[in-house]
Amino acid sequence: MDTTTDPMRDAIIVGGGAAGLTAGVVLARAQFTTLVVDGGEPRNGPAEHMHGYLTRDGMAPKEFVATGQDEFARYGGTLMRASVSGARRGPDGTFELRLGDDRVPDGADAPSLGDDRVLRARSVLVATGLTDELPGIPGLAERWATEVHHCPHCHGYEVRGRAVAVIGGAAVSVHLAALMRRYSSLVTFCVNGAEVGADERRRLTAYGVRLVDGRVTRIATREGAPGVSGTGDGEGGGETVIELDDGRTVACEAVFVAPRPVPHDAILTALGAGKDPASGLVAVDPHGATDIPGLWAAGNVVNPRAQVVSAAGAGSVAAVNMAAWLLDRELSAAVQAGGLGAGSVI
């Protein structure tokens, strides 16, 4: 990367969701110069409400982020709407982040770097989240976050008592089908090629989950009553209909599927952060620290199962430890410089 005149900040946070903004508030309150760089495309952006966050249950994700941005700015933090296209760690241990070409202003008060596209910081927190990669079933993506969901803890209560279909495929599908039975007595598990052993089939059936073998070929909306039909033209209307490769259909009022999580970890890997060989995710310790000094990660980028509340908690934990790490280096630097002259030892 090119050298830059951009000021050295104490911390740069990449990602302005629950983890990133929470960390930003903690660091800004601790009087560290903190910049949050956010591309403006949160994972839960398509959802109308979020759940499981005490005192914020039912809040719209967009409102949650806007409120967090206001709180961060109130403590002197700086927000920049941009993406990061490259990163490196210098010989002195500080970090340089290059902005992508899609940088856009974030309101009248958004900072401008002119032609300078490289940011510098003593520490970095990556909270860039992930993308939910859906199975390539026609009609599925169009209904994502409306009729189609993935998290029972986020959306199960809202469909309680309704006819629910779970589409298999991922390893977690069996658990997902069983868990949805807690919310409804009308749960159909479309196996869709998932490996379901005989014991698992017995357990699901005994628990009240109906299993339907066959591949799912399309998701549509048409007339049909909840259940499995040979023609799909039963009474009722407006249901979501899952079409199978053998001609049968499963009509329901909500669909759950387990997407493949794809973490946005390019910055972490570019900086050399090691991965857990078992999970394939960038490894962090209980405080969110990677194996690169000065580099932290929090939220869905390292924990795909983290909900909004747990992502925020991880961001807080990481920020507290970043503050301690930064302070330790300031203390060491003060000793080497012969003291700051502002205090005395009694």
Side-chain angles (χ1 to χ4, degrees), residues 263-345:
H264 300 160
D265 59 5
I267 298 170
L268 293 166
T269 56
L271 291 170
K275 293 190 175 184
D276 183 321
S279 68
L281 300 169
V282 170
V284 294
D285 69 10
H287 308 298
T290 71
D291 56 0
I292 303 298
L295 180 62
W296 278 260
N300 286 151
V301 68
V302 289
N303 180 8
R305 298 183 67 181
Q307 294 180 281
V308 178
V309 65
S310 48
S316 177
V317 170
V320 168
N321 284 272
M322 290 173 72
W325 186 87
L326 289 164
L327 176 62
D328 179 70
R329 275 141 190 81
E330 290 183 355
L331 290 168
S332 298
V335 171
Q336 293 177 0
L340 297 176
S344 61
V345 178

Side-chain angles (χ1 to χ4, degrees), residues 119-163:
L119 307 175
R120 300 187 300 159
R122 298 163 59 200
S123 65
V124 169
L125 169 66
V126 176
T128 43
L130 59 78
T131 293
D132 291 302
E133 187 176 273
L134 297 172
I137 300 172
L140 193 66
E142 295 88 332
R143 292 166 173 78
W144 182 242
T146 54
E147 296 106 307
V148 179
H149 310 283
H150 79 286
C151 176
H153 300 291
C154 302
H155 306 288
Y157 185 84
E158 282 63 43
V159 300
R160 66 195 185 281
R162 301 180 186 177

Side-chain angles (χ1 to χ4, degrees), residues 35-94:
L35 170 67
V36 170
V37 180
D38 181 55
E41 296 182 355
R43 179 189 186 188
N44 62 355
E48 294 184 0
H49 307 97
M50 64 181 202
H51 298 282
Y53 199 134
L54 193 64
T55 77
R56 296 293 180 267
D57 189 75
M59 192 176 192
K62 290 182 179 179
E63 181 185 356
F64 176 81
V65 169
T67 302
Q69 290 175 345
D70 290 343
E71 291 181 3
F72 176 57
R74 186 190 314 159
Y75 291 111
T78 303
L79 177 68
M80 177 177 290
R81 181 62 58 81
S83 62
V84 174
S85 61
R88 78 172 185 183
R89 185 165 178 259
D92 61 352
T94 60

Side-chain angles (χ1 to χ4, degrees), residues 166-178 188-206 209-215:
V166 176
I167 298 177
V172 72
S173 300
V174 173
H175 173 75
L176 179 58
T188 301
F189 180 29
C190 300
V191 178
N192 193 40
E195 294 186 7
V196 187
D199 184 59
E200 290 175 319
R201 286 176 176 268
R202 282 193 296 269
R203 286 161 60 88
L204 287 173
T205 301
V209 176
R210 178 172 45 183
L211 278 71
V212 177
D213 289 301
R215 291 280 183 176

Side-chain angles (χ1 to χ4, degrees), residues 88-107:
R88 78 172 185 183
R89 185 165 178 259
D92 61 352
T94 60
F95 298 89
E96 293 182 0
L97 304 179
R98 181 173 293 280
L99 298 180
D101 293 334
D102 57 345
R103 179 162 52 108
V104 296
D106 188 47

